[in-house]
Amino acid sequence: MPAPLHVPAPEAAAQAIAAAHADLCIERGADPHAVPADGSVYAVTHAAARRLGFVPADAAVLASAWVRRAARLGLQPHDWPDDPQDFGLALHPQPFAPCPHDMGLYAVLPNADWVARMAAAGVPTLQLRFKHDDPRRIASEVQAAVRAVEGTSARLFINDHWRAALDVGAYGVHLGQEDLDTLTPDDIATLRASGLRLGISTHGYAELVRAWRLGPSYLALGAVFPTTLKAMPTAPQGVGRLRAYAHLVRAVPTVAIGGIGLAELPSVAASGVGAFAVVRAIVQAPDPEAAARALMQRWGELRADARRDHPPPTGL
């Protein structure tokens, strides 16, 4: 095993890394006075990550990724860990059922009536986010939502209520990080064996790594922009980080979420994600159907432009 790399000027290296990746910086939570504890790659890159505003858990994951990457490629300030092997990741041997990489507009909706309405409008991907404590009401609403998409091409995910979704044969479920905390290994095995698709919310590198290791059907990345929908555990990630996250987990379908509307679509599409989730842009629109059509049309144009500018490689 090669000896660990030693960085001869740790402070200068940390400063250079932070300066080279200023587009990833989030002022909230940043520690401009973070200094390397020593000349190791881990210490240098951890300090740089903290200066860029990565929360401690993400800074630790990034620093470990830098160590792996530097062992292969050396440490260069303008480089950035962007390969799954940098993070010790490999594809799950038994992943959850797959989703299309390009799921397009993903509407997050409060009840079954809204699900029916947006399915009829041709929205390709839907999520029922029904907040209630009564198990009977939950079961009834989930069943109604599943019935609402029958005969349409819409893919319906159920937020949180995975047992109810399993009972009525929903397309998939979407879980947050807190939901994962409540699952036992037997629960995960049941979900995997059921054929349900699984989407997982993530808010940074540590949560991405955790979610990836479950072999999910897709990963939600956010919140990208400021949102008033709910209190977020982290600051808005911005398009720079969205691009980095999407590139790292490019083998898995991705959904950008958080504060997205028509104005934000060009930068979201340029990040490489295959879908974008909206709440307010539809449910608070004066004409939700018209809003959905405008979002789908603009996304289609942007994706077509991207394919034209960066065509996939052709085999011989």
Side-chain angles (χ1 to χ4, degrees):
M1 179 181 295
L5 290 175
H6 178 80
V7 182
E11 168 59 25
Q15 184 176 357
I17 292 169
H21 302 285
D23 63 323
L24 302 179
C25 184
I26 295 176
E27 294 295 335
R28 183 177 124 187
D31 182 0
H33 305 297
V35 296
D38 52 49
S40 66
V41 171
Y42 184 95
V44 168
T45 56
H46 188 279
R50 291 295 294 124
R51 292 184 186 187
L52 289 170
F54 286 95
V55 299
D58 289 346
V61 169
L62 268 172
S64 294
W66 271 113
V67 170
R68 296 185 188 93
R69 189 174 184 89
R72 302 193 329 268
L73 305 174
L75 182 64
Q76 301 295 330
H78 286 84
D79 196 14
W80 188 262
D82 67 353
D83 192 297
Q85 67 178 312
D86 299 336
F87 294 81
L89 300 178
L91 291 176
H92 197 284
Q94 293 181 303
F96 279 82
C99 293
H101 265 72
D102 297 325
M103 292 194 291
L105 173 58
Y106 187 138
V108 180
L109 305 165
N111 56 49
D113 289 341
W114 270 103
V115 168
R117 190 172 174 180
M118 289 300 105
V123 176
T125 310
L126 309 171
Q127 182 187 126
L128 173 69
R129 183 186 282 170
F130 182 67
K131 299 299 183 181
H132 208 283
D133 294 329
D134 184 344
R136 290 174 298 180
R137 285 287 307 278
I138 291 169
S140 176
E141 200 71 19
V142 169
Q143 184 176 53
V146 170
R147 286 178 177 170
V149 300
E150 290 177 354
T152 76
S153 59
R155 297 174 285 267
L156 175 65
F157 291 88
I158 306 300
N159 184 280
D160 293 351
H161 309 304
W162 65 270
R163 293 187 186 277
L166 194 155
D167 288 343
V168 295
Y171 180 83
V173 295
H174 180 92
L175 300 178
Q177 294 289 316
E178 300 83 2
D179 302 313
L180 294 182
D181 292 337
T182 70
L183 296 181
T184 67
D186 285 345
D187 291 337
I188 294 172
T190 297
L191 272 170
R192 196 183 304 278
S194 73
L196 282 175
R197 283 80 176 171
L198 173 66
I200 302 176
S201 293
T202 66
H203 309 90
Y205 280 109
E207 293 183 359
L208 268 180
V209 167
R210 179 193 190 193
W212 172 290
R213 287 178 174 153
L214 289 175
S217 307
Y218 75 80
L219 292 164
L221 314 174
V224 183
F225 303 103
T227 176
T228 59
L229 183 65
K230 63 178 181 178
M232 299 304 297
T234 56
Q237 298 294 288
V239 294
R241 292 194 184 187
L242 175 64
R243 185 169 54 250
Y245 299 150
H247 185 71
L248 171 62
V249 298
R250 55 196 177 273
V252 177
T254 49
V255 181
I257 188 169
I260 299 171
L262 273 175
E264 291 75 28
L265 283 192
S267 59
V268 171
S271 73
V273 297
F276 65 102
V278 302
V279 184
R280 290 177 299 156
I282 285 180
V283 299
Q284 294 183 12
D287 185 338
E289 284 79 6
R293 287 194 296 272
L295 289 164
M296 290 188 288
Q297 179 178 343
R298 184 65 177 131
W299 184 256
E301 294 167 351
L302 292 165
R303 295 291 287 176
D305 290 344
R307 286 191 291 269
R308 187 162 51 247
D309 294 340
H310 304 285
T314 56
L316 296 178

